Amino acid sequence: MDFLLLEKQLKAVADRNRLTLLSCLKGGEVCVCDLVDVLGLSQPAVSQQLKKLEEAGIIVARKVGTWKHYRLVEDQTPLMQTVLAQIEKQDTCQCESECDVSS
């Protein structure tokens, strides 16, 4: 067992905002611009939350124009599989702005 990874993942999911982000990402890839609307925080604050999830190996990002789009990693650790199974998916986290997830 990789205790460093376990520690990072436990710290990453021990926050209400990051759990909310994960509930959004359960529905698929989402642009950071829409995650800002969901949390009601500034874009830099949301990006910091996303960075912690990314560093823990829970999510990945890809850049589309000036925006980043995030999604869950396909191969989750057993810990994260269990955590994600307990989180209800939010259907309101859809890319609805000028950004384009199909690019």
Side-chain angles (χ1 to χ4, degrees):
M1 179 180 293
D2 183 346
F3 287 121
L4 182 58
L5 177 61
L6 182 61
E7 177 186 29
K8 281 184 177 185
Q9 289 186 337
L10 286 170
K11 285 181 178 180
V13 297
D15 179 89
R16 181 181 300 157
N17 285 329
R18 291 191 288 273
L19 289 171
T20 301
L21 293 172
L22 291 176
S23 72
C24 288
L25 296 174
K26 281 188 79 170
E29 187 173 85
V30 180
C31 178
V32 69
C33 62
D34 293 303
L35 296 172
V36 167
D37 293 339
V38 168
L39 292 183
L41 299 173
S42 69
Q43 187 273 323
V46 173
S47 291
Q48 284 297 320
Q49 299 297 319
L50 291 163
K51 181 180 177 185
K52 291 180 184 197
L53 292 169
E54 193 172 11
E55 288 173 347
I58 301 168
I59 64 171
V60 293
R62 71 180 180 100
K63 193 164 172 104
V64 179
T66 58
W67 296 104
K68 277 194 172 181
H69 295 255
Y70 292 87
R71 65 177 169 80
L72 294 172
V73 169
E74 288 184 31
D75 270 343
Q76 295 288 347
T77 63
L79 168 70
M80 286 312 305
Q81 289 174 8
T82 302
V83 169
L84 289 168
Q86 298 301 311
I87 298 172
E88 190 173 324
K89 178 177 83 169
Q90 281 194 35
D91 292 325
T92 58
C93 307
Q94 308 279 321
C95 195
E96 297 174 4
S97 64
E98 69 279 355
C99 59
D100 182 12
V101 292
S102 62
S103 298

